Amino acid sequence: MTLTVLYRGLALLLGLFLSACAMQSNANVKKSINLQDVNLPQPNILFIYTDDQAPWALGHSGNKQAITPHLDKLASEGLYLPNAYATTPVCSPSRAGLLTSQYGYELGIDDWININPKAKTLTGHQFGLGLDSQYETWPEVLQNTGYHTGIIGKWHLGKEDKFHPTQHGYDEFTGFREGGAASANPLLEVKGVETKHKGLTVDVLTDYAVEFLKRNQDNKFALSLHLRAPHYRFLPVAPEDAAPFADMDIQLPHPDYPGLNTKRATQLMREYLSSVKGIDRNMGRLLAELKHLGLADNTLVVFTSDHGYNIAHNGMWHKGNGFWLLNENPAGTDNIPTGQRPNMYDNSIKVPTLVRWPNVIKANSVNLSTMSNLDWFPTLVSLAKGKISKDNIIRGQNFVPAFLDENVILSTDYYATYTTLHQSLTQMRMYSDGKHKLIRDFKNTGRDEFYDLVNDPQETTNLIKQTLSAKHRHVIANFDRIIRQKMQNTHDPVLSELKPHTEQ
């Protein structure tokens, strides 16, 4: 397959999804179903959460370079949501939003929690920061409903005991509280004691997940498996996961981007895809164990990620706190040092998302709704028949109707935020209706971006740098009003720093 065919195909597929979403308001689709008419049993829940997995890092997405047969099979047995996304394209605020259904800045968590004294930061380390237990989480609601809850793997929502997963509704925790962990021979907290393990981290964490399923096969359970992969550094991986990519003719996106370091980009892509294959291999183990234990039919399996990723896309790599991947980096500024590329690209925001529940969710179905990480709280609580506290703030919506009928479109726009604090200083807020996207950086003049997603789904051309048509000026003004209204509705602290009608 040639480079042009591969990425033209991926761009066409993405464009179709975006166009379909944008046209849903005119399409003959169902808008809702009455859940009171549907009597669903309480399922077991297996929530698999990878770290830095791109929306394109899935064979089912159309990327033939991604070798994910087990995940592709999971997609064929359930529902694929190609427009699922995270409201912040970096780990800690995204994970906090997943648990609470609130934006990171509402919880005091804007960026990844930096407690590594060796890590650079422009605003200071955050040794005492974490997710306060005053905020209700969906594991807490499920725990109160009678579920045995567990989390295995990455936490990254505070290292102090008061932020411990068991303070947020998890009956048990096996993993690491910090954000970083090695891809092999990890140091994991097991029953409150840090223990050194041998082996690949993705395999070790899956071993613990299999053991959890065996112990709780007779209980109503909700297990969160938060894998460390495919987070950088990607290596080491198992030989069988690296082998297919050793001699693969790696095709890069945007290979003609001026000054792209194609040698490094190719190596990063090779290593990244091998890490993704390690995830897939372990998903095969986990799903086989569900079947072996007779749990497959009554277990809701969710596979998603905390945010997306870029490798060579638009000349950069990494996530929302991205890095240039060029032979010579552009000049930096006081707020954005050289080498940094903070961004809100779709590849940073969107996440691969699969949901399977045999005999309930239609096999091989696709729902084009824009589902955010904030939607998981009301969705999982609804399925578990739990009760959310009356004074709780829930920003997300219940997606069960969309799970039950792929033609139910619950949302077609998406809103995301990211205030970077460590590698750069920004105040990015983004809104898209599926056809266009506006990104405002309220801290840095000249960094606004505007994309025509229908004709440019890979976001290669920032139209705000060109002479704008009257139509585009109207869209930008409308999107700016929407962004400010969303900031106001969610008590965004950045809003207080802005003049009401000043164009940034």
Side-chain angles (χ1 to χ4, degrees), residues 284-301:
R285 294 176 54 210
L286 198 56
L287 296 173
E289 189 63 29
L290 276 180
K291 184 177 180 180
H292 174 72
L293 295 173
L295 297 172
D297 286 347
N298 66 331
T299 298
L300 175 81
V301 176

Side-chain angles (χ1 to χ4, degrees), residues 240-251:
E240 61 266 38
D241 298 330
F245 305 99
D247 298 319
M248 180 181 286
D249 181 19
I250 296 293
Q251 305 298 310

Side-chain angles (χ1 to χ4, degrees), residues 3-4 252-262 312-315 326 460:
L3 171 67
T4 302
L252 297 174
H254 308 171
D256 298 325
Y257 192 94
L260 179 69
N261 186 338
T262 56
H313 302 84
N314 292 299
L326 307 176
T460 61

Side-chain angles (χ1 to χ4, degrees), residues 29-40 360-362 367 369 382-383 397-410:
V29 296
K30 299 178 183 177
K31 298 300 180 183
S32 184
I33 63 176
N34 190 350
L35 288 178
Q36 294 180 347
D37 297 334
V38 182
N39 186 21
L40 296 174
V360 177
I361 294 176
K362 179 184 173 183
N367 189 292
S369 298
S382 174
L383 289 169
Q397 61 178 321
N398 183 358
F399 253 71
V400 172
F403 289 0
L404 299 180
D405 189 334
E406 63 183 319
N407 295 313
V408 172
I409 303 300
L410 296 180

Side-chain angles (χ1 to χ4, degrees), residues 112-121 125-127:
W112 61 280
I113 296 176
N114 188 344
I115 61 171
N116 182 356
K118 296 182 180 180
K120 294 180 180 179
T121 175
H125 293 92
Q126 302 161 314
F127 300 111

Side-chain angles (χ1 to χ4, degrees), residues 458-491:
Q458 297 189 63
E459 301 170 278
T460 61
T461 304
N462 180 8
L463 296 177
I464 218 162
K465 298 293 186 182
Q466 303 178 2
T467 301
L468 292 166
S469 66
K471 174 185 175 182
H472 283 159
R473 287 197 300 271
H474 174 76
V475 172
I476 289 172
N478 184 43
F479 281 16
D480 183 72
R481 284 192 293 270
I482 292 173
I483 287 174
R484 290 170 185 267
Q485 187 62 54
K486 287 183 176 292
M487 294 171 74
Q488 181 176 332
N489 292 345
T490 57
H491 310 291

